[in-house]
Each structure stands twice: as structure tokens, then as C-alpha cells.
Amino acid sequence: MPDVAALPLIGASALRARAAARVLRTLPTDVKDGALAAMADALVERVDEILAANALDVNAARADGTPESTVDRLRLDAGRVAGVAEALRTLIALPDPVGDVVRGSRLPNGLELRQVRVPLGVVGIVYEARPNVTVDAAGLCLKSGNAALLRGSASAHRTNTVLVAVMTEALSKAGLPEGSIELLPADRASVGELLGARGFVDVVIPRGGGSLIQRVVNEAKVPVIETGEGNCHVYVDASADPATAEAVVLNSKTHRVSVCNSAETLLVHRDVPFLPRLLAALADAGVTLHGDEAARAAVDGVLPATDEDWATEYLSMDMAVRVVDDLPAALDHIARWSTGHTEAIVADSASAIAAFTAGVDSAAVMVNASTRFTDGGEFGFGAEIGISTQKLHARGPLGLPELTSTTYVVTGNGHVR
Ligand SMILES: NC(=O)C1=CN([C@@H]2O[C@H](COP(=O)(O)OP(=O)(O)OC[C@H]3O[C@@H](n4cnc5c(N)ncnc54)[C@H](OP(=O)(O)O)[C@@H]3O)[C@@H](O)[C@H]2O)C=CC1
Ligand SMILES: N[C@@H](CCC(=O)OP(=O)(O)O)C(=O)O
């Protein structure tokens, strides 16, 4: 175990979390569910305190000139706090992954082999200025028997401090150990300590944009599960139904522009006859279009697109548009520019759908459905701790099973080899 003195910002929290993790891994489901219910009740009861702290964060963000779409991620109201508490209650209803037998067999020598799910241990999460993530992450870690080291954004720190205080008080009343949920200091140096905390932290899950992920790639000495930017695409095939295409494209782009699963680029087969109508619908919805020559010829007001547009995760009411010769050209574009988060196809042709789903190498592929569905809640996982865009140890929305590892339990009867 490394020297805790090398971790002046997070060492004390990491030690408490390490001790808590040893208790949490053994807790029966009903105890964890009772704690989740207590956390949910406490959040609703103490909503005024939470909103007062959140107002300070929101005012500071606005004073800093933060765009309203970003402030919206940070802002809580009574309805959103109730929603966050409800997400905890949803976790109660979900099966506890700990102890699940992934694989089991009796070996020819009579040994019973069972591969069972076990908690990861201490999970560090670095995440964006969305206070709901504080609660979702704490709840998911608790239900899966893990201790959580939460390093939220500096711009949400006042809100997170109250949320974690409310949740830890509820946990303590429910008899859970201190250290089950720890909020880390919100400065950048604490991220560096977390990434170097071998022996204290079992895995770090960074949720954020390019700067965070690059730092993780360069510095991490602990195992990480990377989430990543969402440069998501919608491809409209020649076989697409016009109404379906319009609904899926509009929802993918405009439902909530500031999140990673909103669409950034529209690829349209050159034989799609309703391109002008589709682009007009986007423009009518307030979307600024950045297109290639064919897109610019279809309707007025489309700005010229460059490679920068194909590469950009706008997170705003902007969308890049490219007209492609065929489906392979769409796949080529996606292979070149996608961040591997979510791509969608709108098509009626079964062969086009099969070619697209086989050809795209991303965490999620939507068929005639909005990119906005890549979400733990929408997938029925209760919540998500992030959306992994890497291939190990899990890909896509990370729910409860993804917060576990496995142990082989091998039972004999005095067997020797
Ligand atoms: N796939 C997924 O699950 C998710 C993806 N995202 C992606 O994140 C981006 C938007 O989120 P945004 O809020 O702007 O994310 P940021 O990357 O700006 O911030 C996320 C967190 O990372 C921290 N951070 C950022 N850069 C560094 C760094 N160099 N060193 C240490 N810590 C750092 C921030 O801390 P600080 O407060 O100090 O800035 C914050 O806590 C988008 O690209 C979105 O797609 C976001 C969430 C989930
Ligand atoms: N799962 C979320 C989007 C993922 C997410 O958290 O993204 P972000 O807002 O970029 O932090 C949702 O569907 O709203």
C-alpha cells in the first residue's frame, strides 16, 4: 500500500472508503435497500437546504458567464430533487448484482466451480457539474456494495457538499459505515491524487470531455473505465420513412442539447427526397446547420461545414449535415469522426439496418430510435455511473452489474491436486 502522506487531499477519505468497502461488500440486500430509502427520504425532507446551496452555485456560474445550457445541467428545483430521490428508489427495485452466479459447473474431479459477482471495492468518480450524478453515483455504488469517492465539478461543489452531507447522515442512521460516500475536494489536484492512488482506489471512472480524458490517459496509475465525448451521428438511409426520420433527427438533436448522447452530425443518403423538408424542420426548431455543398443547395441559410464541424461535439443547437453517396460512405464518415458513443440509422431496409449495425463500432447503435436513448435510466438500469466509450471492462451505460468484478468460489471435499 502506498504512503497515505502522498495523498494530502484525498488520503483521509480514501482510507475511510477502503475500510467502509470491506463492510459494504458483505451487506445483505435489504440493508443496502433500507439505506437507499433513507437517503431518498432525507433528500426530499431537506430539499430547502439543497436548493439554497444550489442557488449559490447557479448564481456563481451565471456570474462567470456560463452558458444557460450548461447552467441548466447544474440547476436543481424541487421537482428535480424529487426525481433524483426517485432514481434512488428505482435502484431499490433492481436486483442486487452481488452474489449473482455468472457461471457455474461441476468439474470432472467433483469440484464445484462458481463465478460470483463481487463489488469492485473503492470506486472514484470524476464528473461534470450535474448534481444528480452525485446522487446517482452514490446510489449505484452503494447498491453494488462499493464505497464511492466522489470528485464532482468545482462549479457544483456547494450543492454536492450538502447532498453528500444529507446522504451520509441518512446512511449513518441506517447503520452503514462512515466512508461509504466521500466527497473529495473540488480542485484539479485531487483528480491527480485519485489517478495515482494505487492500493487505495480500485477503479476511477472519469465522466467528462477531452481535457479530463487526456489527463486520465496520461496520468492514471489506477485502473480506469473511460467515458467519453459524444460526437453522435444520425444516418438517414434512402429507405427511410420521412416522418420517422424527422422525429428521430429532431429528438436526437434538440431534446437536450448539452448532453453527450445528443446528435451532432446528420448524414443523409443522396437519394433521400425529403432532405429539404428535413433540414427546414431542423431550422424551424432553431438549429443552426453547418453543411456540405449538397446540404447548402437543399435549403437556404446553411453555413459551410469544414472538417472542424465533423469533429465537433457542439453541445448546442448546431448540427453538421453531410450528404453521402451511399451507406458505406456514411460508415466511412462515422469511422473517421465518431467518438464511439452512439450512432443511429433511420431506415426501412433490413439489409441497410444490418449493414449499419454490423459496420458501426460504437457503444450503442440505435435503429429507428433517437440517440438520446443511450442512458442507464432509459435502458432500465435505474441510473448510470457514466457511458463507457472504451471496450474494457464495460461499454455503454454503466449500471449495477458493471460496478462489480467476479470471484471464483471453488468448493471441494478435501480435494488436492
Ligand atoms: N460518456 C459519458 O458518460 C459522459 C460524457 N460527458 C462528456 O463531457 C463533456 C461535457 O461535460 P463538461 O462538464 O464540460 O466536462 P468537463 O470535462 O469540463 O468536466 C467534467 C469533470 O472533469 C473535471 N476536469 C475537466 N478537465 C480536467 C482536467 N484537465 N484535470 C482534472 N479534472 C478535469 C472537471 O472539473 P472542474 O470542475 O475542475 O472543471 C469536472 O469535474 C462532453 O464532452 C460530454 O459528452 C459528460 C458526462 C458523461
Ligand atoms: N444519460 C444522460 C446523458 C449522459 C450524461 O450524463 O451526459 P452529460 O450531460 O454530458 O453529463 C441523459 O440521457 O440525459
Side-chain angles (χ1 to χ4, degrees), residues 25-214:
R25 65 182 293 121
T26 65
L27 290 183
T29 307
D30 60 337
V31 174
K32 293 188 283 190
D33 286 346
L36 287 169
M39 282 159 62
D41 290 346
L43 290 170
V44 173
E45 274 160 26
R46 293 173 64 178
V47 61
D48 291 344
E49 263 173 82
I50 295 165
L51 295 186
N54 184 247
L56 296 175
D57 283 334
V58 166
N59 290 342
R62 287 201 172 117
D64 280 354
T66 308
E68 270 312 300
S69 59
T70 307
V71 172
D72 180 58
R73 290 149 58 104
L74 172 63
R75 193 179 56 77
L76 290 176
D77 54 29
R80 286 187 178 181
V81 173
V84 162
E86 206 41 49
L88 289 178
R89 295 199 178 92
T90 309
L91 291 178
I92 296 172
L94 291 177
D96 184 345
V98 177
D100 269 359
V101 178
V102 177
R103 188 157 55 170
S105 63
R106 178 187 286 271
L107 302 181
N109 60 6
L111 280 175
E112 293 279 357
L113 184 73
R114 283 182 305 132
Q115 186 186 16
V116 295
R117 285 200 185 279
V118 296
L120 290 167
V122 177
V123 179
I125 305 126
V126 183
Y127 56 97
E128 72 279 28
R130 274 177 70 164
N132 68 298
V133 178
T134 305
V135 179
D136 287 352
L140 283 161
C141 284
L142 176 61
K143 177 91 186 205
S144 52
N146 295 294
L149 289 178
L150 304 175
R151 195 288 185 185
S153 171
S155 39
H157 197 62
R158 281 167 278 220
T159 313
N160 288 341
T161 302
V162 175
L163 288 172
V164 171
V166 169
M167 290 191 290
T168 43
E169 223 171 277
L171 286 186
S172 163
K173 283 186 191 151
L176 269 69
E178 68 159 356
S180 300
I181 303 169
E182 291 278 334
L183 184 66
L184 302 179
D187 51 84
R188 295 269 170 112
S190 69
V191 176
E193 286 191 17
L194 196 58
L195 294 175
R198 271 188 89 82
F200 291 95
V201 176
D202 292 287
V203 63
V204 170
I205 302 174
R207 289 179 56 134
S211 157
L212 173 65
I213 301 303
Q214 199 49 52

Side-chain angles (χ1 to χ4, degrees), residues 73 128 130 133 207 256 258-261 315 341 372 374-376 378 384 387:
R73 290 149 58 104
E128 72 279 28
R130 274 177 70 164
V133 178
R207 289 179 56 134
R256 194 167 180 188
S258 64
V259 293
C260 55
N261 55 19
L315 299 173
H341 191 296
R372 284 282 291 130
T374 306
D375 171 69
E378 294 292 330
E384 80 205 356
I387 298 168

Side-chain angles (χ1 to χ4, degrees), residues 235-241 268-274 346-349 352:
Y235 166 64
V236 178
D237 187 58
S239 67
D241 169 65
V268 185
H269 192 291
R270 69 173 179 198
D271 294 339
V272 164
F274 53 87
V346 185
D348 278 350
S349 153

